[in-house]
Amino acid sequence: MNKQEVIDEIENAIPDFILNDFQRGKETGLTDALELVEELDEPEKVVVSKLEAEWLDKLKAYYRHREDRLYVITRQGWGNDFCFSCHGEQIELSYEPYKGKEDIESVKRRLVNAILYGYEVEKEKLYTVKFSNEDFGKFYIGIFKAVNKFGISSLPLNDDDVKSWFTEDELERFKFWNNPAFEIKEVTE
């Protein structure tokens, strides 16, 4: 049960009208309890990468009990990696994304906190692409979804018809990233 569920339960238990001293005492006690619960600090959800979230989802699907999931994570470093076997398949969380960025102990701590307090997936940065040469004008690159083809637009649209916001991986795959012919800007919503 989370904090909001406790608040809802207490609010529903507070009598709507007072008929006697018992109900007055009940209403006073529940109101005091409600004020205390509202002051509680609830741990925030941990922000994990998309790769970590996929691994945690598989871990949760295979291990029903939280203690088993915590064991798989905390045994890392004792001759084990972040891995487990599921129906004969080895499910592993790669170390590659962490090299040079953070130590494995902080990754372990984040994954443990994700199991204990819940998690949300880190939002990937999105970028727009436009021609950097002024001879072409200020045209943005987009994909027309209906025909799945690249096109140009005077505005960076991102709707049901056109996709003009791309992840870094997509831009690298399309050869726009680090290409001097194009100007890349981060989307700020």
Side-chain angles (χ1 to χ4, degrees):
M1 183 177 281
N2 66 26
K3 179 179 170 179
Q4 188 56 51
E5 291 171 336
V6 172
I7 289 172
D8 293 342
E9 287 284 328
I10 293 173
E11 285 177 343
N12 289 335
I14 295 175
D16 292 332
F17 51 90
I18 309 296
L19 295 176
N20 55 36
D21 288 340
F22 172 77
Q23 286 180 326
R24 189 176 340 286
K26 180 179 178 181
E27 189 265 342
T28 302
L30 289 172
T31 302
D32 290 346
L34 184 60
E35 288 173 10
L36 289 172
V37 169
E38 287 174 342
E39 290 178 20
L40 280 176
D41 289 333
E42 194 169 31
E44 292 183 24
K45 288 185 175 185
V46 177
V47 178
V48 298
S49 70
K50 184 178 176 184
L51 189 67
E52 291 170 336
E54 290 169 357
W55 186 81
L56 286 166
D57 289 343
K58 290 175 185 175
L59 184 68
K60 286 194 311 188
Y62 188 71
Y63 291 103
R64 296 181 65 201
H65 300 286
R66 181 172 68 174
E67 294 78 13
D68 296 331
R69 293 182 227 142
L70 290 171
Y71 169 74
V72 169
I73 294 168
T74 57
R75 72 181 179 172
Q76 187 281 330
W78 299 93
N80 297 289
D81 294 330
F82 293 120
C83 64
F84 62 97
S85 294
C86 177
H87 307 295
E89 179 186 358
Q90 190 77 355
I91 311 295
E92 187 172 341
L93 181 60
S94 171
Y95 289 112
E96 291 300 317
Y98 308 111
K99 285 188 178 176
K101 292 183 181 174
E102 65 180 316
D103 62 286
I104 294 301
E105 287 302 314
S106 63
V107 175
K108 186 188 293 190
R109 202 172 302 111
R110 183 174 56 252
L111 295 175
V112 165
N113 287 336
I115 296 295
L116 294 175
Y117 307 121
Y119 59 90
E120 53 191 45
V121 181
E122 177 182 51
K123 291 185 179 180
E124 281 192 88
K125 291 182 181 180
L126 297 174
Y127 303 91
T128 59
V129 182
K130 71 177 180 176
F131 290 102
S132 54
N133 186 335
E134 291 297 323
D135 293 339
F136 290 109
K138 295 190 183 214
F139 288 111
Y140 290 88
I141 304 292
I143 295 177
F144 293 98
K145 294 178 182 176
V147 292
N148 199 28
K149 301 274 185 207
F150 281 106
I152 57 174
S153 170
S154 60
L155 295 171
L157 302 172
N158 208 54
D159 55 26
D160 293 337
D161 300 323
V162 180
K163 174 185 173 160
S164 293
W165 297 355
F166 302 97
T167 65
E168 182 177 340
D169 288 341
E170 290 173 321
L171 293 176
E172 285 176 351
R173 201 170 61 239
F174 300 142
K175 308 292 188 229
F176 293 131
W177 196 258
N178 290 330
N179 185 333
F182 300 100
E183 185 179 319
I184 310 291
K185 287 207 175 164
E186 186 177 341
V187 174
T188 54
E189 294 181 59

